[in-house]
Amino acid sequence: MSQNKVIIVGAGAAGMTAAIFAAREGAQVVLLEHKDRVGKKILSTGNGRCNLSNRLQEPFCYRSGQPDFPWKALGAFTLPMTLEYFEDLGVLTRERDGYLYPYSGQASAVLDALRLGLARESVQVVTECEVFSITPREDAKHRFEVKTSQGNFSGETLILACGSKAAPGTGSDGSGYKLAKRLGHHIIKPLPALVQLKCKGTFFKQLAGVRCEAVVRLMSDGKTLAADEGEVQLTDYGISGIPTFQVSRYAACALDEGRQVSAVLDFFPSKSMEDTRSMLKQRKAALGYRPSG
């Protein structure tokens, strides 16, 4: 039986970073990943460019059922610390509208740097490793026994970094919830938080591919649940883009409660309703000969 001081379950960005920092502190680390390779979800972040941090970090940027939580996390690992960490791994960054990306514009550069960081710190990485059970013990040096498809591991410290269930194809399939429950944790019902919105109707295919600046406002029972402004992407199923992602958790919560939700798009947020209506009337009078389809 392998004996390790620190066992980390899940080799995404969080698991790899935890492994690197633990190894830097002198720990012997084993990193367990149930997919065939580490960091698969990183490759899809930021549309393949990996938006690894942001210059703008203010309370209004974060929507959470626990408003204080984002600041506890950000206070523990600040933006300067984040940039220093990635630079130490060899990743230079560039900024676009406050969003920070690897200088190459490729998410693969971030994944490669993390993998090389694991190797530099002599972290043992075990892939295609399904975790069957985690058993706490009284023995301080072997406090956790982890049974897996690749053998058993024991260690003094255990970190669950399994992600959510947002992307099963990349490894985030919700399996970590079961492990956490078995260790005595209470799981708040998982709901989508940063997702596109599927809308009713059949005309969306005609609009697919259009991108434009707009305000997305979610309405339910005549009240505004949330609103955000930015580049909205019209798709064949509904709406996507950063402002859609930012308000989507409110739609998920309301729909889970059985409420009806509407997404109202304002394509001219700088104009009043009266001015917008007047402009549309003028365009209709001038361009009414055009087909509407």
Side-chain angles (χ1 to χ4, degrees), residues 11-68:
M16 287 189 281
T17 297
I20 289 170
F21 273 92
R24 286 177 178 177
E25 293 298 317
Q28 182 183 3
V29 184
V30 60
L31 182 60
L32 310 179
E33 170 55 45
H34 67 168
K35 301 300 286 186
D36 59 347
R37 53 196 172 97
V38 301
K40 292 185 73 171
K41 191 161 64 174
I42 292 174
L43 297 177
S44 63
T45 59
N47 287 325
R49 294 178 295 159
C50 191
N51 171 210
L52 54 86
S53 193
N54 306 287
R55 287 287 183 194
L56 179 60
Q57 296 183 1
E58 298 293 340
F60 68 85
C61 299
Y62 303 93
R63 296 170 168 85
S64 171
Q66 301 178 37
D68 293 337

Side-chain angles (χ1 to χ4, degrees), residues 6 37 46 48 59 122 154 188 267:
V6 177
R37 53 196 172 97
S122 300
S154 66
I188 298 172
F267 295 104

Side-chain angles (χ1 to χ4, degrees), residues 52-156:
L52 54 86
S53 193
N54 306 287
R55 287 287 183 194
L56 179 60
Q57 296 183 1
E58 298 293 340
F60 68 85
C61 299
Y62 303 93
R63 296 170 168 85
S64 171
Q66 301 178 37
D68 293 337
F69 173 75
W71 292 105
K72 290 181 180 179
L74 291 171
F77 200 65
T78 63
L79 175 59
M81 293 169 66
T82 301
L83 295 179
E84 181 181 0
Y85 167 61
F86 280 111
E87 186 172 341
D88 181 69
L89 292 175
V91 179
L92 298 179
T93 59
R94 65 169 63 191
E95 181 179 341
R96 179 186 177 190
D97 299 327
Y99 300 101
L100 294 169
Y101 300 90
Y103 202 84
S104 66
Q106 299 292 321
S108 57
V110 176
L111 176 54
D112 288 342
L114 288 166
R115 292 172 58 191
L116 291 171
L118 294 174
R120 181 176 68 179
E121 303 300 338
S122 300
V123 173
Q124 180 185 356
V125 179
V126 184
T127 57
E128 297 182 293
C129 182
E130 295 287 342
V131 175
F132 299 136
S133 66
I134 300 174
T135 305
R137 290 180 160 189
E138 296 296 330
D139 187 335
K141 289 187 177 181
H142 312 298
R143 189 177 171 197
F144 296 97
E145 181 180 356
V146 182
K147 293 184 178 180
T148 81
S149 59
Q150 299 281 11
N152 297 344
F153 302 85
S154 66
E156 180 179 349

Side-chain angles (χ1 to χ4, degrees), residues 246-285:
Q246 291 287 67
V247 301
S248 61
R249 72 176 299 270
Y250 295 94
C253 291
L255 291 170
D256 184 61
E257 295 169 357
R259 297 154 60 189
Q260 294 290 322
V261 178
S262 298
V264 179
L265 302 184
D266 183 353
F267 295 104
F268 301 99
S270 62
K271 292 180 176 292
S272 67
M273 182 63 73
E274 182 179 347
D275 289 342
T276 301
R277 187 177 290 111
S278 176
M279 178 194 68
L280 292 176
K281 286 181 178 179
Q282 291 175 7
R283 288 179 62 82
K284 181 179 179 181

